[in-house]
Amino acid sequence: MEGANWWQRLWHIILPQMRGVIEFYVVVSVITMLAAVFSYVYIMGGGRGGPGTSTTVVELYIFNALIRSSLPGIAAAASVLLFLVSVALIFPLFRARRDLEA
């Protein structure tokens, strides 16, 4: 550490120690991005998804299929697809972590 400038300390000491925290934050942020839009669309669009269906997101589609249309099978299928997309976005992060540890 003696003689290291700020960038060297950041790159070789601070960031490697914070790697787990950074990875956790990225995973939580991806999940939040997938789920945070529903409340805005629901409130601004009156629960219908804007004019017509122009602002319908997957979460609103699931909600409408389950609550308004009484189609629990369609809502469950859409929920599974949303889960698979979430896993597809998060899986590379876990794989990169495993590759860095090896």
Side-chain angles (χ1 to χ4, degrees):
M1 281 210 6
E2 196 169 319
N5 63 21
W6 185 82
W7 281 106
Q8 291 170 335
R9 284 191 310 243
L10 176 71
W11 189 254
H12 295 288
I13 296 170
I14 296 172
L15 285 179
Q17 290 179 351
M18 292 185 62
R19 190 177 86 208
V21 174
I22 293 169
E23 290 170 354
F24 175 77
Y25 181 75
V26 168
V27 169
V28 170
S29 295
V30 168
I31 294 170
T32 302
M33 285 188 315
L34 290 171
V37 179
F38 170 76
S39 58
Y40 296 115
V41 173
Y42 184 76
I43 290 172
M44 297 299 284
R48 290 183 214 92
T53 57
S54 61
T55 59
T56 300
V57 293
V58 177
E59 294 87 357
L60 184 62
Y61 179 79
I62 293 167
F63 176 80
N64 286 334
L66 183 63
I67 302 300
R68 294 182 189 268
S69 302
S70 297
L71 298 169
I74 302 244
S79 298
V80 169
L81 289 176
L82 179 62
F83 172 73
L84 293 175
V85 168
S86 300
V87 169
L89 291 173
I90 293 169
F91 181 72
L93 298 172
F94 287 119
R95 185 173 183 123
R97 181 177 184 182
R98 186 186 63 188
D99 291 344
L100 286 174
E101 288 176 357

